[in-house]
């Protein structure tokens, strides 16, 4: 090839290269001037970025791009693709549900979704193309003309974590939902959706109905709790509702509280039963907690102590109540205030550590029995009982017993009463003077009589009579301590008791008995 041919080829190549460079420069200059800079996408990525577009005719899906179909496949709704789309649109575009119902009049509607954490705001455009034909386009304004390359391992980990969180929320028995500033439900878990479907006779849509009257969180106050009820088919279910503010949204958590409500109702009924029982008791009751503050009392306490009802309902402390009783002269008169305080402190400490009983003799002549008992968790209970009648009866009984003993001590006979078991139930002073070594049982008494009396038929007959060997004789004569002649007699008393009397015989009235005893004693010797 000649040099001329080679030169023509080089000139053509240079001319072509210069044309390409000049065209590229012109394109870049035009893009800068028009302000439209098209970012360069990685090779093979531009073809994979497709818009999310759905085409509906009378709410029936006609066509959709692959990303839009993938979006609908994430939801399960037997009503159709339109309901699936509303389930996704409702939480993100609260105003779009109402606008889609008026799209025939609006013609076109555009909405910017709520900004989520870590993601850009989405844009929804709904256009009525023909009557009954609706096109919905969902785009990310910040991702237009841009491709995002994601690490496959990171995306897989995030998807697995998202799936775990979604399954956990759907399987939890508590109701979880989210509300916006207008208290519209923007998201709910599966348990909430099941409850909402059971409450409504028709298929539910967005926004979802509110099931519970949940508490409103106070900014800066953290989580608030409130108990709410839900009636379904005549049955009432109770929930403990917790609210937590997250940005301009409010997360709600409703934990089943039926067991707690039943336990509280049982406890309340039990307390009411105890209250009614305490109200009928004639004994005054006052229960103090571990801080010694009055927590429970019954009407009998007011009747016995004359304490004002308003004073008791104000829940006074134990020492305030005791001071009030002292003012009303319903406690024993103390010698001085210091000894009174010490006595009350001893009463409180003794009642807190164990069973403690005191008897108060009041200035008005009444007698109260005050009982202190410890209760769980450091509490203490005091019982006030009016025992004036009981004490009067006891004093009367003791006086009668003392009178009977005085009468027995002043009669001329020695008397001993034996119980059915052989115990000595009673003796008088004459008997104790006659038999100085008196025992406390029938066997001991027989041994005493045998040791201090002379042997003879009379003593054997007394032994046989008391031991049950021979019950034919109820009286006789023995020679007692010091050789004096004594007449004995045995008398049966009620409840199996036996009374033995020893007395000096009267020769004027019983000469024959004395002579027979002397003859029997002489024959024995």
């Amino acid at each position: 090839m000649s040099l001329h041919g080679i030169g023509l080829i080089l000139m053509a190549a240079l001319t072509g290269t210069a044309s390409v460079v000049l065209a590229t420069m012109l394109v870049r200059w035009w893009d800068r001037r028009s302000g439209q800079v098209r970012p360069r996408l990685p090779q093979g990525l531009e073809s994979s970025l497709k818009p999310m577009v759905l085409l509906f005719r009378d709410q029936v899906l006609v066509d959709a791009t692959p990303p839009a179909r993938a979006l609908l496949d994430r939801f399960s709704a037997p009503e159709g693709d339109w309901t699936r789309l509303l389930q996704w649109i409702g939480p993100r575009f609260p105003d779009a549900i109402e606008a889609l119902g008026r799209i025939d009049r609006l013609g076109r509607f555009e909405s910017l979704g709520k900004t989520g954490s870590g993601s850009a705001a989405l844009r929804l455009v709904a256009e009525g193309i023909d009557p009954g034909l609706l096109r919905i386009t969902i785009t990310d304004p910040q991702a237009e003309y841009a491709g995002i390359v994601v690490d496959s391992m990171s995306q897989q980990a995030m998807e697995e974590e998202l799936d775990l969180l979604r399954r956990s929320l759907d399987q939890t028995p508590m109701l979880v939902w989210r509300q916006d500033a207008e208290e519209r439900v923007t998201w709910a878990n599966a348990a909430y959706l099941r409850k909402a479907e059971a409450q409504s006779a028709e298929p539910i849509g967005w926004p979802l109905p509110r099931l519970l009257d949940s508490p409103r969180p106070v900014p800066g106050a953290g989580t608030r709790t409130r108990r709410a009820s839900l009636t379904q088919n005549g049955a009432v279910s109770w929930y403990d509702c917790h609210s937590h503010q997250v940005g301009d949204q409010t997360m709600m958590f409703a934990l089943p509280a039926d067991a707690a409500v039943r336990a509280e109702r049982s406890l309340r009924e039990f307390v009411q039963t105890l209250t009614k029982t305490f109200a009928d008791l004639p004994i005054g009751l006052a229960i103090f907690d571990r801080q010694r503050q009055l927590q429970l009392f019954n009407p009998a306490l007011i009747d016995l102590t004359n304490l004002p009802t308003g004073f008791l309902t104000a829940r006074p402390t134990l020492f305030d109540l005791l001071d009030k009783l002292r003012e009303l002269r319903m406690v024993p008169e103390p010698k001085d205030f210091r000894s009174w305080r010490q006595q009350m402190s001893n009463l409180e400490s003794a009642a807190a550590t164990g069973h403690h009983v005191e008897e108060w003799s009041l200035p008005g002549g009444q007698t109260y029995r005050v009982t202190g008992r410890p209760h769980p968790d450091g509490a203490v209970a005091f019982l006030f009982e009016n025992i004036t009648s009981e004490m009067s009866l006891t004093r009367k009984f003791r006086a009668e017993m003392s009178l009977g003993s005085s009468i027995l001590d002043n009669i001329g006979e020695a008397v001993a009463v034996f119980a059915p078991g052989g115990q000595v139930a009673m003796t008088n002073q004459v008997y104790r003077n006659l038999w100085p070594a008196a025992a406390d049982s029938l066997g001991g008494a027989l041994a005493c009589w045998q040791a201090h009396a002379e042997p003879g038929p009379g003593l054997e007959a007394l032994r046989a009579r008391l031991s049950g060997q021979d019950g034919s004789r109820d009286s006789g004569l023995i020679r007692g301590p010091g050789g004096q002649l004594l007449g004995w007699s045995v008398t049966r008393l009620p409840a199996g008791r036996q009374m033995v009397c020893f007395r000096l015989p009267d020769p004027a009235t019983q000469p024959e008995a004395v002579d027979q005893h002397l003859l029997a004693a002489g024959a024995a010797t």
Side-chain angles (χ1 to χ4, degrees):
M1 182 180 295
S2 64
L3 292 176
H4 180 70
I6 294 173
L8 291 176
I9 294 174
L10 290 175
M11 184 175 294
L14 290 174
T15 302
T17 302
S19 300
V20 172
V21 172
L22 181 60
T24 302
M25 293 176 65
L26 288 174
V27 170
R28 289 184 178 179
W29 174 79
W30 178 259
D31 288 341
R32 291 193 188 98
R33 185 175 181 181
S34 61
Q36 297 178 355
V37 180
R38 184 180 181 87
R40 183 174 299 174
L41 299 176
Q43 185 178 3
L45 186 62
E46 185 175 3
S47 60
S48 63
L49 293 178
K50 296 181 179 180
M52 187 179 296
V53 183
L54 303 99
L55 191 62
F56 286 90
R57 182 181 295 278
D58 297 329
Q59 298 185 357
V60 177
L61 184 63
V62 177
D63 195 7
T65 58
R69 292 187 180 276
L71 175 65
L72 296 178
D73 292 339
R74 292 171 52 189
F75 297 90
S76 58
E79 291 80 6
D81 297 322
W82 179 257
T83 305
R84 297 182 185 182
L85 179 63
L86 294 183
Q87 288 184 1
W88 186 86
I89 290 178
R92 295 164 178 80
F93 304 92
D95 301 331
I97 303 297
E98 182 182 358
L100 289 175
R102 299 183 292 112
I103 195 63
D104 294 337
R105 295 195 303 267
L106 297 177
R108 187 178 187 278
F109 171 76
E110 182 175 343
S111 175
L112 191 64
K114 302 295 183 180
T115 302
S117 58
S119 63
L122 299 178
R123 178 185 297 160
L124 182 143
V125 179
E127 299 173 293
I129 302 175
D130 291 326
L133 188 62
L134 176 65
R135 180 174 63 189
I136 298 177
T137 305
I138 302 172
T139 58
D140 183 354
Q142 298 184 10
E144 293 179 357
Y145 311 113
I148 303 175
V149 180
V150 181
D151 181 11
S152 61
M153 297 299 293
S154 300
Q155 173 134 6
Q156 182 181 2
M158 287 188 294
E159 290 177 353
E160 291 177 354
E161 183 178 3
L162 180 61
D163 182 68
L164 175 63
L165 294 176
R166 184 181 293 113
R167 290 178 181 271
S168 300
L169 284 176
D170 287 342
Q171 294 175 2
T172 182
M174 65 178 176
L175 310 183
V176 184
W177 72 99
R178 184 177 61 190
Q179 296 180 179
D180 57 11
E182 287 76 22
E183 297 188 353
R184 293 175 298 191
V185 179
T186 59
W187 175 86
N189 69 337
Y192 188 97
L193 293 176
R194 289 192 294 269
K195 283 289 182 181
E197 291 174 354
Q199 288 289 104
S200 177
E202 299 178 356
I204 59 174
W206 289 94
L208 293 174
R210 290 182 60 210
L211 299 180
L212 297 170
D213 187 12
S214 53
R216 287 193 175 189
V218 178
T223 302
R224 296 188 63 190
T225 305
R226 179 179 180 180
R227 181 162 291 174
S229 62
L230 178 63
T231 304
Q232 181 178 349
N233 298 328
V236 180
S237 301
W238 290 91
Y239 294 89
D240 286 332
C241 300
H242 304 263
S243 62
H244 187 73
Q245 192 74 27
V246 180
D248 59 348
Q249 300 280 324
T250 305
M251 290 298 301
M252 300 291 180
F253 305 89
L255 282 70
D258 292 333
V261 171
R262 286 194 298 268
E264 292 173 0
R265 184 181 296 114
S266 300
L267 178 60
R268 187 164 52 253
E269 293 175 354
F270 178 70
V271 171
Q272 290 176 355
T273 303
L274 288 181
T275 303
K276 294 179 181 178
T277 304
F278 293 156
D280 296 333
L281 285 178
I283 301 175
L285 175 67
I287 299 179
F288 298 85
D289 59 14
R290 63 187 310 170
Q291 283 78 30
R292 298 299 177 262
Q293 189 172 5
L294 183 64
Q295 296 296 328
L296 181 65
F297 66 93
N298 66 340
L301 181 67
I302 302 175
D303 298 336
L304 292 173
T305 61
N306 297 325
L307 288 170
T309 305
F311 173 77
L312 294 175
T313 55
R315 301 185 182 276
T317 63
L318 172 60
F319 290 102
D320 290 340
L321 185 141
L322 294 175
D323 289 339
K324 190 68 173 179
L325 289 176
R326 181 171 179 266
E327 295 177 6
L328 298 174
R329 296 174 59 85
M330 296 302 297
V331 295
E333 281 291 345
K335 296 180 180 180
D336 53 45
F337 185 74
R338 180 175 299 178
S339 62
W340 152 256
R341 295 297 295 182
Q342 183 62 40
Q343 181 182 357
M344 293 302 102
S345 298
N346 296 338
L347 172 66
E348 186 270 337
S349 59
T353 56
H355 184 74
H356 179 71
V357 180
E358 285 187 3
E359 290 184 0
W360 288 2
S361 298
L362 305 183
Q366 297 172 317
T367 303
Y368 282 4
R369 179 186 292 127
V370 181
T371 305
R373 297 175 180 270
H375 274 231
D377 199 21
V380 63
F382 286 94
L383 289 83
F384 296 83
E385 183 179 1
N386 189 350
I387 59 172
T388 304
S389 300
E390 178 183 342
M391 294 300 295
S392 299
L393 184 61
T394 302
R395 294 189 187 102
K396 184 178 180 180
F397 178 75
R398 288 177 180 175
E400 292 179 354
M401 289 290 295
S402 177
L403 177 61
S405 298
S406 299
I407 294 174
L408 286 176
D409 290 340
N410 286 280
I411 64 175
E413 297 181 359
V415 179
V417 180
F418 297 94
Q423 299 86 2
V424 177
M426 181 186 297
T427 59
N428 65 348
Q429 189 62 42
V430 179
Y431 179 89
R432 291 189 292 272
N433 293 336
L434 178 63
W435 306 100
D440 58 355
S441 65
L442 178 59
L446 290 174
C448 175
W449 299 338
Q450 187 175 1
H452 293 84
E454 294 182 3
L459 184 60
E460 293 299 327
L462 176 60
R463 177 188 294 274
R465 173 65 181 80
L466 292 176
S467 61
Q469 298 176 0
D470 183 9
S472 60
R473 294 183 60 182
D474 290 336
S475 63
L477 295 173
I478 63 172
R479 193 170 292 278
Q484 60 181 338
L485 190 63
L486 298 174
W488 61 266
S489 64
V490 178
T491 305
R492 293 183 180 273
L493 299 178
R497 297 182 178 90
Q498 299 184 91
M499 181 177 67
V500 180
C501 297
F502 296 94
R503 60 187 176 279
L504 293 173
D506 187 358
T509 58
Q510 297 179 343
E512 297 179 357
V514 174
D515 293 341
Q516 291 178 1
H517 177 75
L518 293 176
L519 291 174
T525 56

